[in-house]
Amino acid sequence: MSAKYPRLHVLAASFWREWHRELRRQAGDERLPYQIRVRLRHAADRALRRSAVEEQRGVVPRWNRRALADAAPTRLSADDEQRGRRLAMECGIVPGQPIVTVEIGQRADRLSDAIERLSAEGFRIVRIGNPVAGPLRGRDVLDVASDPRRTPVLDLYLLLTSAFVVCSSAELQQAALIGHTPSLRIDAHDAFTAYPVRRDGIFTLATAVDLDTGRPLAIQELLTERYFRNSRNYGYRATSAAEITAAVGEMVEGVRTGWRESDAQRRFRQAVADAGVAMGHVRHVAEWDGASGFIGDGRLARVQAERAL
Amino acid sequence: MSRILFVMLHPGFVRYYDDALQALAAAGHDVHVAFEVSRTKLGEDVTARRLAERSPGVTCGSTPERPESVREFLARGDREAIRSGAPLASSPWSREGREEAWESLATTVRLLVDYLRFFDPVFAYAAALRARAEKRVPQVYRRWIRLVARGGAAARTALAGALSAVEYTIPPNRTLEAFVREHNPDLLLVTPLVELGSQQVDYIKCARQLGIRSALCVASWDNLTSKGLIRVIPEHVVVWNEAQKREAVELHGVAPGRVAVTGAQLFDPWFEARPSRSREDFCRTVGLDPGRPFLLYVGSSVFIAPDEVPFADEWLAAVRASADPAVARLGVLIRPHPANARQWQAFDASGFGNVALWPPIGTDPTAPDFRRDYFDSLYYSAGVVGINTSAQIEAGIVGRPVFTVRAPQFAHAQEGTLHFQYLVGGTGLVRAAASLDEHVRQLAEIGGGTSAGAAGGEFVRWFVRPQGIDVPAAPVFARAIEALARLPRPAPRDAAWRWTALRPLAFVLARVARALAEDRPLWVYAIRPFVTAAVRTWALAFRIHEAWHRSVTSGLRRTGRRVYCVWYESSREARKRMRRATRKVAAAIRTAGVAAKRLARRAEGAIGRVVGRQL
């Protein structure tokens, strides 16, 4: 899928697109003979098709899933690690205590039960990221997100030293991936963006709703070309508190006793990989390296996979 | 009695002046409302039709079609569009071609002026408004405008002056002139005039030229601060309140003496309205617990809140998580903005309890019950919450406490707009919170009372009914219009000779503007003459070939026909001769046969006689 000179393909796509428009413009001249106008329109259509092909060739995947799966973990430099540890201690984190970092962009209240569960399991919950989603309440919660001492180094240190991270942003999921921190991504809008590369990653999908009809889409419908062709026609309902709690339970189980996957999860991975290969021409899928046949070793949360398949 | 011509952008503006127009018609004036574009999205055409049906003195129609509307101008420059190739329907030097070029120049200049205004320090926080104006400007101009705008106030003023000069060189549209002359009104009203790139400027120019008094009626509270400039200032500007008068004077350069303050006539019905049913009935209809007070969440428009549902989710969660049980147990009625209702399909109220979304998405906003239901929602609510919407003003009129939360995702529509400051400023009626926590604490203060308090009343008096809280604005507006229509007509003002002298130069600009409005990369303009020449040569060659083909074909056909004709004639003749020869041969044979028979009979007779003699 990757091109040798992607920039050239992008330029070529732009050229053919403009050429298409110019031919269409010329074809609009009613003074020209009908046959010439028809041939100009056909030429314009060919130019548009070439533009689409070049555009496809110009797509550079944002990452290489296979390479990332095999990559060694990224670590902080000794200085940064020391600085991060010192800041963490200043914020009240006891060295050696298992922590779970949490970043949530929307409705923090959905995590209440999950936090209870984590507290019961002996984890300290540390909130990082943007505090805009409202307060995260719980007895073992430490809100670093709204702490004035918060720095990017502290966020990264906490992320890399935590038992796992619960996040709703793709950036944090990817940061966890390169640091080999297990991650639970919640509220993903599609499987190709969020499918975890490593075995210790889990994700949940938000419920997509067709804004024309109000019909919630089945998870399998998120693997169709139609969904990606008209993505502005969908709204999203956040993952429910019960599903988040179940997914957090699955993470705890994975961290403690090893990562196992159910038959439904395996089949869902296969369905995503197959859909990726079939939709290699869809820009979004190509961008997220979903067309290579290898989507990752992670899983859709068991609770959703069993509902989907 | 006066003749009034009211030019509106689309029928959606009727609702702002419904009562005032009826009052004018009832006073015996002839009012003709002309719409530049039709619009049916929210049943606006129905509103206009109803107005005409209710008042015999009011007629509705459309304005003359423009060679190139702003919408067409923008569509032609849409780089994302696949099929935006504009047909070259007319020669660039034909009358139609020339008019198109002038319209392109006019729209370009107006869009540039509108974009430039958002670099003024007053709009320092209005990044979203600036971006909206920028999106409409063809790309080729954007960097130049940004460059000049960064040069400071003097550079901006100089550029605005130059653009204004270009505006004056553009000749008035003849079709519009004929339209205005045909109606020959005593007063020409326009609204909104300040839409980005608005072509209503041409009506003001025509009125000037014909010696007709003109006035801008400011329709809504954000018109003078969130849209474009009044580029050619009419004789009068009719506004709601002193705040808008200040905007007209300071931001648009209107002389204070030209501004008339009449109040916000569109809110009059809210002062008179009474609930249509009991609270219990209402709560049962919408699906709320009648035993508990409820909050009304009023949705905002697409520009203000493109992604409102996640915020509403969070807001509801914060209300439910309130430490005050009275707040946590409040019912919540969500009322989507009619033009931004679609996104609420994704809203799921089931997780919260005692929350309802009403009216259902897709309800016809022109239905007779729509406004009545809306009033009941406001009237029975304990408080009203919204981002930034005129529904908050309506809540203030009904006397409900009004709240908002300054959310980072809506900063563009709150801190980023000037009209929001009226809601939350010193005399504002909205209680703004910096966070959901603070907001929930504010909600706790609602307690049992449901009044907006003195602040709300003061705001309504200042912003909605500046002539007195008991004085309806529609009759004041109608009286102001009547007074303007009675004033003597101004002298016709032809364009100054210097602008006329500059017109040939401006026409060159118009042709360039027409081409650049397509918003294509510059290399396209560079190759276009060659492509056009190639296509025309191809067309010529095709025509020659066709003509040759036609002549050769017809020559062959003619020769063939002649050959056939000769062949046909000759063969016919031959057949005829053959038939004759055959007939002759047959006759000869027949004659020979008869002779032979005769000879035979004679011979037989002779032989018989000889034999008889011998016997």
Side-chain angles (χ1 to χ4, degrees):
Chain A
M1 185 53 56
S2 63
K4 200 169 179 187
Y5 301 107
R7 181 76 192 140
L8 279 182
H9 289 298
V10 171
L11 284 174
S14 161
F15 168 79
W16 285 115
R17 194 180 173 82
E18 290 299 335
W19 185 238
H20 154 80
R21 294 187 66 199
E22 186 58 25
L23 292 179
R24 291 284 312 187
R25 183 181 184 279
Q26 297 286 350
D29 188 345
E30 289 171 2
R31 292 166 299 183
L32 293 176
Y34 173 75
Q35 291 86 339
I36 298 276
R37 294 176 67 194
V38 168
R39 286 164 81 170
L40 281 170
R41 278 196 199 103
H42 288 165
D45 290 347
R46 281 198 300 276
L48 187 65
R49 281 198 294 274
R50 289 195 73 163
S51 162
V53 169
E54 292 295 343
E55 204 168 314
Q56 186 59 34
R57 285 183 187 156
V59 174
V60 184
R62 293 168 186 239
W63 59 4
N64 183 327
R65 286 179 181 268
R66 211 174 278 280
L68 278 170
D70 301 334
T74 303
R75 293 281 164 228
L76 285 174
S77 67
D79 281 355
D80 283 344
E81 191 167 350
Q82 203 173 359
R83 199 146 24 110
R85 189 180 300 119
R86 184 170 45 76
L87 281 167
M89 284 168 66
E90 281 175 20
C91 291
I93 292 165
V94 181
Q97 185 184 17
I99 63 168
V100 172
T101 42
V102 172
E103 178 264 357
I104 186 157
Q106 197 185 333
R107 281 194 55 196
D109 63 296
R110 288 176 298 151
L111 264 65
S112 302
D113 292 346
I115 282 166
E116 283 297 312
R117 168 91 194 257
L118 289 171
S119 295
E121 296 281 349
F123 289 104
R124 185 86 195 265
I125 297 99
V126 182
R127 187 191 192 172
I128 57 174
N130 194 336
V132 73
L136 196 62
R137 295 193 174 91
R139 57 193 155 95
D140 287 315
V141 173
L142 181 67
D143 195 346
V144 174
S146 45
D147 195 305
R149 288 167 292 193
R150 181 185 159 209
T151 63
V153 169
L154 175 61
D155 274 6
L156 213 50
Y157 173 80
L158 292 170
L159 184 74
L160 295 177
T161 54
S162 57
F164 65 90
V165 57
V166 180
C167 61
S168 57
S169 74
E171 293 76 18
L172 216 64
Q173 184 195 25
Q174 288 155 19
L177 165 68
I178 60 171
H180 286 206
T181 302
S183 65
L184 167 60
R185 163 96 185 268
I186 56 174
D187 294 338
H189 287 186
D190 76 89
F192 295 101
T193 319
Y195 207 96
V197 173
R198 288 172 46 79
R199 201 174 150 67
D200 53 12
I202 295 179
F203 74 109
T204 70
L205 286 161
T207 306
V209 178
D210 185 330
L211 293 182
D212 283 338
T213 60
R215 182 180 70 86
L217 269 63
I219 288 179
Q220 280 185 315
E221 286 181 86
L222 306 189
L223 302 180
T224 59
E225 190 170 340
R226 188 167 171 230
Y227 175 69
F228 292 98
R229 288 277 178 232
N230 194 9
S231 56
R232 284 200 300 186
N233 199 43
Y234 301 105
Y236 296 92
R237 287 180 191 155
T239 311
S240 69
E243 286 188 345
I244 292 176
T245 309
V248 165
E250 195 181 339
M251 285 300 290
V252 173
E253 185 190 312
V255 168
R256 294 263 161 86
T257 62
W259 303 97
R260 284 190 297 272
E261 66 181 3
S262 69
D263 186 43
Q265 286 173 315
R266 196 168 22 253
R267 278 187 285 136
F268 186 77
R269 181 198 297 120
Q270 194 53 49
V272 178
D274 292 347
V277 173
M279 290 195 291
H281 55 282
V282 176
R283 190 185 174 90
H284 182 84
V285 174
E287 251 182 14
W288 289 95
D289 196 20
S292 65
F294 173 74
I295 193 70
D297 293 323
R299 288 172 299 287
L300 177 66
R302 196 177 298 143
V303 61
Q304 286 196 342
E306 275 158 17
R307 180 156 56 86
L309 295 167
Chain B
M1 291 297 104
S2 314
R3 282 184 307 277
I4 295 164
L5 173 61
F6 201 156
V7 178
M8 295 183 180
L9 177 62
H10 58 72
F13 283 91
V14 166
R15 76 179 184 92
Y16 293 94
Y17 297 100
D18 209 344
D19 292 343
L21 292 176
Q22 285 185 61
L24 282 169
H29 303 289
D30 286 331
V31 183
H32 180 72
V33 187
F35 306 111
E36 286 192 289
V37 291
S38 65
R39 188 155 138 170
T40 55
K41 202 166 68 176
L42 295 174
E44 292 90 342
D45 53 332
V46 178
T47 323
R49 213 166 39 241
R50 275 192 205 140
L51 170 71
E53 283 164 6
R54 268 201 305 267
S55 310
V58 179
T59 52
C60 293
S62 55
T63 58
E65 204 177 324
R66 310 291 294 249
E68 182 173 80
S69 69
V70 178
R71 202 183 289 175
E72 284 163 345
F73 178 94
L74 296 174
R76 202 149 56 82
D78 184 359
R79 284 196 178 185
E80 297 304 312
I82 299 294
R83 293 175 183 270
S84 61
L88 307 170
S90 56
S91 152
W93 307 106
S94 65
R95 184 183 158 186
E96 198 183 329
R98 288 199 308 272
E99 279 187 0
E100 276 181 15
W102 284 121
E103 299 254 288
S104 281
L105 179 65
T107 306
T108 303
V109 165
R110 291 162 195 169
L111 288 171
L112 293 179
V113 170
D114 291 342
Y115 178 37
L116 189 64
R117 90 174 283 221
F118 289 110
F119 286 95
D120 196 280
V122 173
F123 296 102
Y125 298 106
L129 294 175
R130 194 159 43 248
R132 182 170 68 172
E134 184 185 87
K135 250 167 60 177
R136 286 165 170 77
V137 173
Q139 292 192 31
V140 67
Y141 304 108
R142 291 178 193 171
R143 73 185 73 164
W144 299 108
I145 297 287
R146 280 197 295 264
L147 197 70
V148 173
R150 284 194 204 108
R156 281 199 302 275
T157 310
L159 180 58
L163 291 170
S164 178
V166 176
E167 170 77 62
Y168 280 104
T169 59
I170 299 168
N173 185 304
R174 284 188 205 166
T175 322
L176 296 193
E177 211 175 285
F179 173 75
V180 175
R181 191 178 281 128
E182 184 193 331
H183 284 277
N184 190 25
D186 298 304
L187 180 65
L188 171 80
L189 303 176
V190 290
T191 194
L193 184 64
V194 288
E195 281 288 311
L196 297 172
S198 173
Q199 294 182 319
Q200 288 183 328
V201 177
D202 294 326
Y203 288 94
I204 305 292
K205 285 167 122 179
C206 285
R208 275 187 173 190
Q209 191 144 17
L210 297 171
I212 293 167
R213 196 166 285 281
S214 62
L216 158 67
C217 300
V218 177
S220 189
W221 60 312
D222 66 335
N223 277 21
L224 296 178
T225 53
S226 68
K227 301 183 190 303
L229 271 179
I230 305 175
R231 301 159 203 95
V232 176
I233 295 171
E235 269 82 22
H236 307 278
V237 177
V238 185
V239 299
W240 286 10
N241 48 44
E242 288 297 327
Q244 280 192 340
K245 181 175 180 178
R246 200 173 55 246
E247 289 166 4
V249 172
E250 292 174 5
L251 302 178
H252 296 266
V254 180
R258 292 183 174 199
V259 185
V261 177
T262 60
Q265 66 287 334
L266 84 153
F267 292 127
D268 280 352
W270 299 102
F271 288 88
E272 314 298 330
R274 294 290 171 267
S276 64
R277 63 198 112 176
S278 71
R279 187 177 187 282
E280 285 67 29
D281 282 350
F282 176 77
C283 287
R284 262 193 292 277
T285 306
V286 302
L288 289 178
D289 179 0
R292 295 194 182 283
F294 70 86
L295 286 172
L296 174 66
Y297 180 93
V298 283
S300 298
S301 65
V302 181
F303 175 73
I304 301 288
D307 207 10
E308 195 170 18
V309 175
F311 172 78
D313 263 344
E314 275 177 39
W315 171 75
L316 269 167
V319 171
R320 287 287 176 262
S322 169
D324 184 339
V327 174
R329 288 205 298 265
L330 279 169
V332 172
L333 181 62
I334 307 263
R335 189 181 171 84
H337 190 285
N340 191 19
R342 201 166 160 267
Q343 61 168 304
W344 289 92
Q345 294 273 24
F347 177 70
D348 182 16
S350 60
F352 295 105
N354 203 20
V355 174
L357 187 143
W358 198 75
I361 296 155
T363 304
D364 178 11
T366 61
D369 296 346
F370 193 80
R371 187 181 274 198
R372 189 198 68 185
D373 291 345
Y374 178 25
F375 179 80
D376 288 353
S377 311
L378 287 171
Y379 187 82
Y380 289 124
S381 68
V384 177
V385 181
I387 304 300
N388 178 9
T389 165
S390 57
Q392 290 166 308
I393 302 175
E394 286 151 355
I397 295 169
V398 178
R400 296 294 164 265
V402 191
F403 302 89
T404 192
V405 186
R406 291 182 197 267
Q409 62 268 45
F410 302 126
H412 71 279
Q414 295 183 322
E415 272 64 43
T417 58
L418 301 189
H419 64 281
F420 179 72
Q421 310 314 320
Y422 296 132
L423 289 181
V424 297
T427 46
L429 85 160
V430 175
R431 297 190 62 184
S435 66
L436 281 169
D437 277 347
E438 186 189 344
H439 169 69
V440 170
R441 281 197 298 276
Q442 287 175 347
L443 291 180
E445 292 165 23
I446 294 178
T450 56
S451 167
E458 186 56 37
F459 174 84
V460 172
R461 195 173 298 112
W462 168 68
F463 203 76
V464 181
R465 285 196 165 172
Q467 309 291 344
I469 195 79
D470 298 323
V471 182
V476 177
F477 176 87
R479 280 198 298 275
I481 297 301
E482 276 180 321
L484 295 180
R486 272 199 301 271
L487 288 172
R489 286 191 170 204
R493 273 188 284 174
D494 279 327
W497 65 267
R498 58 180 186 279
W499 302 129
T500 314
L502 285 171
R503 211 162 271 169
L505 187 64
F507 185 69
V508 177
L509 284 181
R511 299 271 357 136
V512 174
R514 164 88 183 145
L516 292 182
E518 278 181 42
D519 213 7
R520 314 283 303 277
L522 291 176
W523 65 263
V524 173
Y525 297 110
I527 66 161
R528 179 168 293 164
F530 303 105
V531 176
T532 308
V535 169
R536 291 200 180 154
T537 311
W538 183 20
L540 184 67
F542 181 84
R543 283 200 176 107
I544 291 169
H545 179 259
E546 279 286 286
W548 167 252
H549 185 67
R550 211 176 301 125
S551 64
V552 167
T553 314
S554 64
L556 280 175
R557 205 177 295 138
R558 254 197 316 272
T559 312
R561 220 166 15 236
R562 273 186 202 144
V563 168
Y564 175 77
C565 205
V566 167
W567 174 80
Y568 179 77
E569 291 295 327
S570 56
S571 66
R572 212 171 150 203
E573 189 60 32
R575 274 200 302 275
K576 208 188 290 173
R577 286 183 183 180
M578 184 73 87
R579 265 199 308 275
R580 276 183 204 152
T582 311
R583 267 202 300 270
K584 278 180 185 169
V585 169
I589 290 170
R590 235 183 354 257
T591 311
V594 170
K597 274 184 189 170
R598 206 175 285 156
L599 276 174
R601 268 199 304 271
R602 279 181 192 166
E604 192 183 30
I607 291 167
R609 274 192 305 274
V610 171
V611 170
R613 235 180 273 143
Q614 283 177 357
L615 289 174

